[in-house]
């Protein structure tokens, strides 16, 4: 039996690089030497020791889940239930599965973390695990001060949007017949390892979140690149700025962007900083590369779209099939292109005969998302869905009003070139545009000039 165990641990250790294996051994030595592990065998650790080591970095319920998951591991295949404490072999196998494992190995650990008994678990138990996992991610990032410039809204209860993101991840779970677990009546369905393995394979954030919880919860001395999970927040203002988005919302939207644009978000326009002006919007967002635009309507719905190309002010549709629409609240979802038409993006200002505003998807006067030149008004029309993005109505009301809007350049932003001699004073001085608007004089020349080639 001893030789079998030795071979088992050797196979697991082989998944780790030498530096990683040394870190696992160091961490186990620390855990097993904790005073709170004095009642356990010399080469194991208790739940009390694990909680003492992690401290406040993770919520207590997640620490308990990790401990139960580890002591339920049976490398030799002979145990009849969870062990009283966690051995080095159990610890090494668990860390290997969580950090380096495939979908099958991760699904086994998730089952162990959900229940200490063998067999399927209920869908509602998987749902609760998902909420705990998402909550633990925002908790540990906040505790380790790794929000990368994003502010976390304070308040009692769980962090904002935990339930929304957990619900979105859980919605990827499918029954054996391929149907999704939609509706409260399905929460009593059994979920076996095959279902959870399929879920982990498709809902990639689940595996990513497990890695974050382990790396940052245990404070491993191993590299973990968070730059594509939580993008750097850049705001060109000395004053503090609190976005409509919290860190979980940013993580969700960012995970659907092309990888080369996931590392940085740079604020181009905000009603809070730049006022309620369509002219200011048109000044600040063209020719700045891919952007995320979002707003919050008067009913608290948060939604927006990803523009995969630079915005240009012109009376034609623009963009490509990498664009998408999304919603954040009351639920999180992304709606990608259908291929039905190429009405991806539209931005126009100063025309007399065609609509002036910012739109994505659908068609004139019937956009999936529309911000009117009469700033503060818009619509989201979908009966039943937007033709371009297959998106439902994103706002609470079809014709909505809003106070908050933001546009973020994503990735490495390009600077607007203002050196061309053909620029109008309206191009180089946004205050001139604002004065014209306040005085009631329209920007009549705006629609007569050719769009910049920059």
């Amino acid at each position: 039996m001893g030789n079998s165990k030795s071979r088992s641990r050797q196979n697991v250790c082989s998944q780790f690089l030498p530096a990683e294996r040394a870190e696992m051994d160091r961490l186990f030595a620390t855990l097993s030497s904790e005073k709170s592990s004095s009642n356990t065998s010399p080469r194991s650790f208790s739940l009390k020791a694990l909680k003492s080591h992690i401290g406040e970095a993770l919520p207590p319920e997640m620490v308990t889940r990790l401990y139960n998951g580890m002591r339920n591991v049976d490398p030799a295949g002979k145990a009849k239930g969870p062990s009283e404490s966690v051995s080095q072999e159990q610890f090494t196998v668990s860390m290997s599965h969580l950090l380096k494992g495939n979908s099958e190995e991760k699904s086994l650990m998730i089952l162990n973390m959900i229940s200490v008994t063998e067999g399927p678990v209920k869908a509602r138990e998987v749902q609760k695990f998902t909420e705990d996992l998402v909550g633990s991610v925002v908790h540990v990032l906040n505790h380790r001060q790794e929000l990368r410039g994003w502010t976390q809204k304070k308040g009692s209860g769980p962090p904002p949007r935990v339930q929304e993101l957990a619900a979105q991840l859980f919605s990827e779970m499918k029954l054996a017949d391929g149907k999704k677990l939609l509706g409260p009546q399905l929460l009593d369905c059994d979920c076996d390892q095959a279902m959870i393995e399929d879920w982990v394979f498709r809902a990639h954030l689940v595996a990513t979140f497990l890695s974050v919880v382990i790396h940052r919860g245990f404070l491993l001395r191993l590299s973990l690149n968070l730059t594509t999970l939580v993008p750097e927040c850049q705001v060109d203002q000395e004053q503090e700025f609190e976005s409509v988005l919290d860190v979980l919302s940013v993580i969700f939207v960012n995970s659907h962007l092309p990888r080369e644009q996931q590392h940085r978000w740079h604020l181009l326009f905000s009603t809070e900083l730049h006022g309620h002006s369509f002219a200011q919007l048109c000044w600040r967002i063209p020719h700045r590369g891919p952007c995320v635009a979002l707003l919050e309507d008067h009913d608290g719905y948060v939604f927006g779209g990803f523009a995969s190309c630079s915005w240009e002010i012109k009376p034609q549709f623009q963009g490509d099939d990498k664009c998408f629409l999304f919603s954040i609240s009351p639920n999180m979802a992304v709606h990608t292109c259908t291929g039905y038409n190429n009405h991806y993006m539209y931005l126009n200002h100063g025309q007399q005969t065609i609509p002036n505003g910012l739109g994505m998807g659908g068609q004139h006067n019937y956009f999936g998302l529309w911000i009117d030149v009469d700033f503060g008004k818009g619509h989201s029309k979908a009966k039943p869905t937007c033709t371009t993005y297959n998106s439902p109505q994103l706002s609470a009301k079809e014709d909505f009003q809003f106070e908050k809007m933001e546009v973020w350049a994503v990735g490495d932003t390009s600077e607007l070139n203002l050196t061309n001699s053909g620029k109008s004073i309206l191009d180089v001085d946004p205050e001139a545009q604002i004065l014209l608007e306040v005085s009631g004089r329209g920007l009549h020349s705006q629609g007569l000039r050719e769009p910049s080639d920059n």
Side-chain angles (χ1 to χ4, degrees):
M1 186 173 77
N3 289 337
S4 174
K5 284 189 175 182
S6 297
R7 285 194 300 271
S8 173
R9 183 168 180 270
Q10 186 176 13
N11 290 336
V12 170
C13 286
S14 67
Q15 295 190 60
F16 288 120
L17 298 173
E20 296 170 333
R21 186 164 61 250
E23 177 65 3
M24 294 302 115
D25 291 343
R26 180 201 66 80
L27 181 56
F28 178 79
T30 301
L31 289 167
S32 59
S33 64
E34 291 275 355
K35 292 180 180 179
S36 46
S37 288
S38 58
N39 294 329
T40 67
S41 64
R43 299 299 293 168
S44 64
F45 62 85
S46 65
L47 174 59
K48 188 176 180 181
L50 187 62
K51 286 184 174 180
S52 175
H53 178 78
I54 291 178
E56 297 181 355
L58 292 173
E61 59 270 19
M62 181 52 66
V63 180
T64 301
R65 285 191 185 278
L66 288 169
Y67 181 77
N68 286 335
M70 291 176 181
R71 72 190 185 101
N72 216 26
V73 168
D74 179 21
K78 296 182 179 180
K80 295 182 179 180
S83 58
E84 293 185 3
S85 57
V86 177
S87 69
Q88 183 169 13
E89 188 174 15
Q90 289 174 312
F91 175 75
T92 305
V93 170
S94 299
M95 298 296 269
S96 171
H97 286 357
L98 289 169
L99 297 177
K100 313 278 283 190
N102 55 30
S103 297
E104 180 183 1
E105 292 166 331
K106 284 183 169 63
S107 66
L108 178 61
M109 283 303 302
I110 289 173
L111 276 173
N112 290 342
M113 293 169 70
I114 292 175
S115 174
V116 294
T117 60
E118 292 186 6
V121 295
K122 297 297 182 184
R124 66 176 67 256
E125 295 178 282
V126 182
Q127 182 185 51
K128 181 60 171 64
F129 166 81
T130 310
E131 291 177 359
D132 288 350
L133 179 62
V134 174
S136 296
V137 168
V138 69
H139 180 104
V140 75
L141 290 177
N142 192 36
H143 182 81
R144 301 298 187 198
Q145 299 182 343
E146 294 188 271
L147 297 180
R148 306 198 72 208
W150 300 98
T151 57
Q152 187 59 38
K153 296 178 175 63
K154 309 240 188 284
S156 59
R161 311 243 165 89
V162 166
Q163 289 190 332
E164 287 96 329
L165 182 51
Q168 195 281 327
L169 293 177
F170 181 70
S171 71
E172 296 294 327
M173 178 77 71
K174 290 183 179 181
L175 295 167
D177 60 5
K179 293 182 180 178
K180 288 198 172 185
L181 283 164
L182 301 176
Q185 72 277 8
L186 293 177
L187 292 179
D188 288 322
C189 290
D190 287 339
C191 296
D192 59 18
Q193 186 179 348
M195 290 174 58
I196 295 180
E197 181 182 345
D198 175 70
W199 176 56
V200 172
F201 179 78
R202 287 182 296 100
H204 67 277
L205 278 179
V206 173
T208 302
F209 285 176
L210 283 170
S211 181
V212 171
V213 165
I214 296 297
H215 273 88
R216 292 304 185 252
F218 286 90
L219 208 57
L220 296 180
R221 299 173 185 174
L222 301 173
S223 62
L224 175 66
N225 188 353
L226 291 175
T227 57
T228 58
L229 179 70
V230 185
E232 178 188 357
C233 174
Q234 291 187 339
V235 179
D236 292 336
Q237 296 285 336
E238 293 183 359
Q239 63 196 90
E240 187 173 329
F241 172 74
E242 185 172 298
S243 172
V244 171
L245 298 178
D246 68 339
V247 68
L248 289 179
S249 307
V250 172
I251 287 173
F252 172 68
V253 176
N254 198 60
S255 69
H256 290 84
L257 301 182
R259 188 171 181 83
E260 63 271 17
Q261 277 132 30
Q262 291 180 341
H263 60 284
R264 182 182 298 112
W265 286 30
H266 183 105
L267 186 67
L268 299 181
F269 172 82
S270 163
T271 49
E272 179 184 328
L273 300 179
H274 306 121
H276 292 71
S277 166
F278 193 79
Q280 276 285 318
L281 178 70
C282 288
W283 159 255
R284 293 183 176 275
I285 71 171
H287 310 291
R288 298 301 297 270
C291 296
V292 170
L294 62 115
L295 56 90
E296 180 178 15
D297 70 16
H298 281 185
D299 294 285
Y301 281 45
V302 180
F303 49 93
F306 168 60
S308 59
C309 307
S310 285
W311 288 100
E312 295 183 40
I313 301 174
K314 61 182 182 180
Q316 294 92 31
F317 285 98
Q318 51 195 288
D320 60 31
D321 60 5
K322 294 179 183 177
C323 299
F324 60 79
L325 293 178
F326 63 86
S327 62
I328 295 296
S329 184
N331 53 67
M332 290 189 182
V334 162
H335 310 285
T336 55
C337 297
T338 63
Y340 182 82
N341 57 38
N342 62 353
H343 298 177
Y344 309 116
M345 302 159 49
Y346 176 89
L347 178 62
N348 199 36
H349 192 198
Q351 296 289 328
Q352 300 294 323
T353 58
I354 56 177
N356 294 306
L358 182 151
M360 294 189 70
Q363 59 192 34
H364 290 314
N365 302 317
Y366 207 83
F367 282 88
L369 172 60
W370 174 255
I371 305 301
D372 199 78
V373 68
D374 186 4
F375 201 74
K377 297 179 181 179
H379 71 244
S380 178
K381 297 185 178 180
K383 294 188 182 300
T385 59
C386 167
T387 54
T388 310
Y389 297 107
N390 199 34
S391 54
Q393 181 178 307
L394 302 175
S395 49
K397 301 180 179 68
E398 189 175 80
D399 295 294
F400 61 83
Q401 294 184 329
F402 66 93
E403 294 289 335
K404 298 179 181 179
M405 180 178 178
E406 300 168 13
V407 181
W408 297 83
V410 293
D412 294 320
T413 60
S414 57
E415 295 298 326
L416 183 62
N417 184 357
L418 297 177
T419 60
N420 289 347
S421 60
K423 295 294 182 183
S424 160
I425 184 61
L426 298 181
D427 288 319
V428 295
D429 186 2
E431 297 300 324
Q433 296 184 7
I434 297 173
L435 288 173
L436 282 175
E437 287 189 315
V438 171
S439 65
R441 296 168 61 191
L443 303 177
H444 300 299
S445 66
Q446 185 77 23
L448 300 178
R449 292 175 292 155
E450 290 295 323
S452 169
D453 291 330
N454 291 357

